[in-house]
Amino acid sequence: MRSPVALGALVCVAMMAGQAARAGEVEVLHWWTSGGEAKAASALKATMQQKGHTWKDFAVAGGGGDSAMTVLKSRVVSGNAPAAAQIKGPSLQEWAKEGVLANMDDVAKAEKWDESLPKVVSDIMKYKGNYIAAPVNVHRVNWLWANPEVFKKAGAKVPTTWDEFFVAAEALKKAGVVPIAHGGQNWQDFTTFEAVALGVGGTDFYKKALVQLDPASLSSPTMEKVLTTFKKVKDYTDKNAPGRDWNLATAMVIKGEAGMQIMGDWAKGEFLAAGKTPGKDFVCAAAPGTSKAFTFNIDSFALFKLKNEANVKAQKDLAVAIMSPEFQELFNLNKGSIPVRLNMKMDKFDDCAKTSSADFVATAKSGALVPSIAHGMAVPSAAEGAIKDAVSQFWNSDKMSAKDAMAKIATAAKTR
């Protein structure tokens, strides 16, 4: 006869052995290295460790650039794929076509992902109807950030239309401040361009021209008006804009050197880091003419096919953790973005995030939730790069007409 204590010890050992046998390793390629992001990554790591799994960072110098993708490709080709990698938008489909991503439908069904995500988002996370990736967050791109004190001194009001924008810009200019803080890099030019396209052309035009790359829409009078309005914005930037990083442009608004900036909600992090309060020290408003629409940029993890059963279990636990309400809240409070789940409580979030979340839910219902082409969510990367170059050429040229730019953009849209 064994004593109850000895029996208890044996059961304990057996349970631990069972857990150890099930425990796997998750190797994750990500570039969450800045303060808030690193904190969120640590939380995900801790969640996995609580389940007995080992977390391994797949670090590649240079963040989310080409070098990371090159190393990832070589790993996948050699049959040594990580569990997950930070990949987004149409690039997910490109990887899925290669047959290297895992089917996550069992996790998605058990966790009710279809009910928790807008269809436009879940479609991006699927390939041929099967989930192959898990979304982490939503960044709203079509924001206008403004310094209310600067506006008050200039006797201007925060614009809600492009006509109002130019009236406000003129007043700010007369008051001796830079009306619009801008960083002359092609993705920043394009962030402004897509906000103008959405505000001037509306959601249907935006979808046809910048998501479907419809040749008729790209060559339409509406596109000419978009380009003319876009170029007019440049008149209200300063001569030091070329090459300026986005966060330095945000700093101009924070310091009162500029009145406003068109930028995604990562700009909010700069205001908060400077100790500023939303609604009091800075205004977050939808870019002119876009209050009923929402351009999204979503971070997601592609989940690769693995051979080791314990690692497959760990990978599925990772997918569950990423989409859990607890992680969605924690990560997005740190990142400045909002949860991608529709049924989230937002009481811990600031006013800008609450507005963003309400608009995310409303536009998911109305059909005005659209992918950002500037941030790699709408079209294949080759076409996106070519269109970005054409738009920046127009922005930087004194001689190119809107009609010339339309022809260049239409040609660029055919790039494959």
Side-chain angles (χ1 to χ4, degrees):
M1 291 285 287
R2 290 180 188 269
S3 75
V5 174
L7 275 171
L10 276 172
V11 169
C12 241
V13 168
M15 282 172 69
M16 283 165 71
Q19 189 177 17
R22 284 197 308 276
E25 178 184 87
V26 275
E27 189 179 10
V28 183
L29 170 60
H30 69 90
W31 31 91
W32 291 337
T33 52
S34 70
E37 293 172 335
K39 215 191 254 182
S42 297
L44 194 54
K45 179 180 176 177
T47 303
M48 297 309 291
Q49 286 170 335
Q50 278 161 16
K51 290 180 180 286
H53 302 305
T54 308
W55 173 283
K56 188 178 175 188
D57 273 332
F58 173 9
V60 179
D66 294 339
S67 59
M69 289 302 107
T70 305
V71 175
L72 179 62
K73 273 175 192 154
S74 66
R75 285 277 307 269
V76 173
V77 168
S78 65
N80 184 28
Q86 209 175 328
I87 298 169
K88 65 178 191 176
S91 295
L92 288 168
Q93 316 303 315
E94 289 166 21
W95 280 96
K97 272 181 201 153
E98 299 298 319
V100 294
L101 299 186
N103 184 326
M104 286 284 141
D105 284 352
D106 54 345
V107 173
K109 200 172 177 187
E111 298 294 313
K112 297 187 166 63
W113 287 7
D114 273 347
E115 291 91 328
S116 304
L117 297 169
K119 188 175 183 300
V120 67
V121 175
S122 60
D123 283 350
I124 292 169
M125 302 300 141
K126 292 176 181 178
Y127 178 67
K128 293 187 174 174
N130 307 122
Y131 277 99
I132 41 88
V136 181
N137 64 345
V138 183
H139 280 292
R140 187 181 198 171
V141 181
N142 59 314
W143 277 120
L144 178 81
W145 306 92
N147 183 318
E149 199 180 314
V150 170
F151 267 77
K152 197 175 169 188
K153 279 181 189 163
K157 73 177 187 107
V158 176
T160 59
T161 67
W162 284 103
D163 287 342
E164 287 177 6
F165 175 89
F166 294 114
V167 170
E170 213 34 67
L172 291 162
K173 197 175 182 178
K174 282 191 181 126
V177 294
V178 176
I180 182 110
H182 184 72
Q185 296 168 333
N186 73 355
W187 71 269
Q188 293 192 63
D189 298 342
F190 211 70
T191 298
T192 301
F193 172 73
E194 75 177 16
V196 176
L198 189 62
V200 170
T203 309
D204 288 342
F205 168 79
Y206 180 96
K207 284 180 187 172
K208 279 184 186 155
L210 298 183
V211 180
Q212 295 157 19
L213 302 180
D214 168 54
S217 302
L218 290 171
S219 307
S220 64
T222 305
M223 181 54 95
E224 191 172 359
K225 191 181 177 191
V226 166
L227 284 159
T228 307
T229 308
F230 169 65
K231 193 63 174 279
K232 197 176 168 188
V233 173
K234 195 187 180 197
D235 296 339
Y236 295 99
T237 62
D238 65 313
K239 67 179 191 309
N240 296 321
R244 178 188 286 139
D245 285 334
W246 69 269
N247 55 321
L248 299 180
T250 308
M252 290 168 67
V253 181
I254 293 169
K255 292 173 190 164
E257 294 165 7
M260 49 189 165
Q261 179 188 22
I262 292 166
M263 189 49 63
D265 56 19
W266 45 92
K268 183 179 70 176
E270 299 296 306
F271 286 97
L272 299 178
K276 305 297 181 188
T277 307
K280 179 170 154 274
D281 305 311
F282 67 97
V283 173
C284 49
T290 72
S291 63
K292 296 276 191 290
F294 190 117
T295 44
F296 63 80
N297 178 17
I298 292 174
D299 288 314
S300 54
F301 278 106
L303 301 152
F304 285 85
K305 284 180 179 172
L306 302 173
K307 295 186 185 82
N308 180 300
E309 266 185 54
N311 292 354
V312 169
K313 169 76 172 80
Q315 181 188 55
K316 288 183 176 181
D317 284 346
L318 175 71
V320 171
I322 286 169
M323 270 289 285
S324 70
E326 298 77 18
F327 178 72
Q328 289 275 325
E329 180 180 86
L330 176 80
F331 179 79
N332 289 292
L333 282 169
N334 279 305
K335 183 89 158 57
S337 42
I338 60 166
V340 71
R341 295 181 67 105
L342 288 170
N343 50 351
M344 288 288 295
K345 281 188 185 154
M346 295 296 290
D347 40 354
K348 288 185 188 169
F349 288 81
D350 61 49
D351 290 349
C352 295
K354 283 174 181 164
T355 300
S356 191
S357 183
D359 289 349
F360 177 64
V361 173
T363 54
K365 286 178 186 155
S366 71
L369 180 61
V370 292
S372 163
I373 179 170
H375 296 274
M377 295 304 303
V379 301
S381 51
E384 181 199 319
I387 298 167
K388 265 184 185 153
D389 288 344
V391 165
S392 282
Q393 275 174 17
F394 175 60
W395 177 265
N396 292 313
S397 166
D398 294 331
K399 297 190 173 74
M400 197 188 292
S401 70
K403 276 198 159 62
D404 291 340
M406 279 161 66
K408 274 190 178 291
I409 291 167
T411 303
K414 293 174 187 157
T415 308
R416 291 290 177 268

